Amino acid sequence: MSKVYVIGTCDTKAPELCFVRDLIRATGVETVLVNVGTKGGEEVADVPASEVAMCHPDGPASVFVDDRGQAVVEMSRALRTFILEQADVGGVIGLGGSGGSGIIAPALQALPIGVPKVLVSTLASGDVSAYVGPSDVNMFHPVTDVSGLNRVSRKVLGNAAHSIAGMMTWQPPVVIDTRPPIALSMFGVTTPAVQAITDTLQKDYDCLVFHATGSGGRSMEQLISQSDISGVLDITTTEICDLLVGGVLSAGEERLDSIAQTGVPYVGSCGALDMVNFWGPDSVPDRFSDRLFYYHNAQVTLMRTTEAECAQIGEWIGRKLNACDGAVRFLVPLKGVSTLDTEGAPFWDPKANAALFRALEDTVQQTENRQLIKLDHHINDPEFAAAAVAHFQEITAA
């Protein structure tokens, strides 16, 4: 029978962990309390820290060390292995400050998407990308520190406990879908293209659209690498701009690696390669003060990529595509790469686009299987979407 694993450092947070455990039990859901503290607290745990540490690849001695930072890192490695070995994990809830969150988050990320995962963390009100990663971790900000039960913490911890109990009790409806899943990448400025492609293909494919915000690209790459995706229409490769220029929505150096690793049929394009993302205007580094900006909203500032940056981006993409042995079609929309990149629009810059396209053409080693295809359309033109669909259907039918 599936159980909720309640995880935390019992040497410092036993009352809070027991409070959460008891609330979950009261709903009729079974629990397992796991201690990941290295300084005691074993008496309240169902699984002592010593048992978790046994799962460390180098043995428990690597976990129980005097250096706190090292102990946190090594206990995290042990917990990840431990949680993946448990056959009765139905969901996981963890409580922690910076150390506890660092221990617990990698184990949550390692669980399959759809398994309920909750992390109550004092860091949940800041940049949570390191704790959520490409997974579906739900984070609660405890408001007060996870240090004692009080009028605030009881409410927040209670909500967190009842949320995972609800996830365990009320499962989403099971829908049998025999359509093969495909991945598509989209940004607001490429929405018309991706929606047109999806409208055409959704009869035959389960279309999984990923928002190209860094985490979206990482999630897409993770599913591809797990062989959960039958084909890719990577229309919006904008996260590469943030990686190379220094924006805030990078998907990391590993972007496109899963295509090479799996050989999955791939149609890509230049969607939103005209922009780098920052948060509000105050977040833009001083070195970019003389650049062209578009204020998307109060939270997001877009910066136009230059000719030199576009050349670098095109070369980077080209090298990644050259590592792919599967069927690859990379579409080059000669009349613009986003809604901001049309004649008269804020980011219209034919010279920068020409540098991008030229770098792609100079770098990509074209073969029968790997082709760079120029289209005399804007990326959001209906004709571009039709061409993307046609090429996708061609390479998936082969």
Side-chain angles (χ1 to χ4, degrees), residues 194-266:
V194 178
Q195 286 188 337
I197 293 167
T198 301
D199 288 345
T200 304
L201 292 175
Q202 63 185 352
K203 178 182 177 182
D204 299 314
Y205 294 94
D206 187 15
C207 298
L208 283 61
V209 179
F210 295 85
H211 198 193
T213 56
S215 58
R218 290 195 301 274
S219 296
M220 182 175 74
E221 295 274 341
Q222 179 175 336
L223 286 177
I224 296 168
S225 65
Q226 294 172 352
S227 300
D228 291 333
I229 299 296
S230 301
V232 181
L233 284 137
D234 193 8
I235 301 305
T236 313
T237 46
T238 185
E239 292 155 319
I240 296 163
C241 300
D242 287 53
L243 168 67
L244 298 181
V245 182
V248 298
L249 300 183
S250 166
E253 288 280 356
E254 298 76 21
R255 188 71 165 86
L256 300 180
D257 285 353
S258 65
I259 309 302
Q261 292 163 0
T262 62
V264 64
Y266 177 85

Side-chain angles (χ1 to χ4, degrees), residues 189-190 193 235 269-272 333 335-338 377-381 384-385:
V189 292
T190 61
I235 301 305
S269 191
C270 308
K335 291 188 175 179
V337 301
S338 82
H377 305 298
H378 187 273
I379 199 165
N380 288 322
D381 286 344
F384 175 89

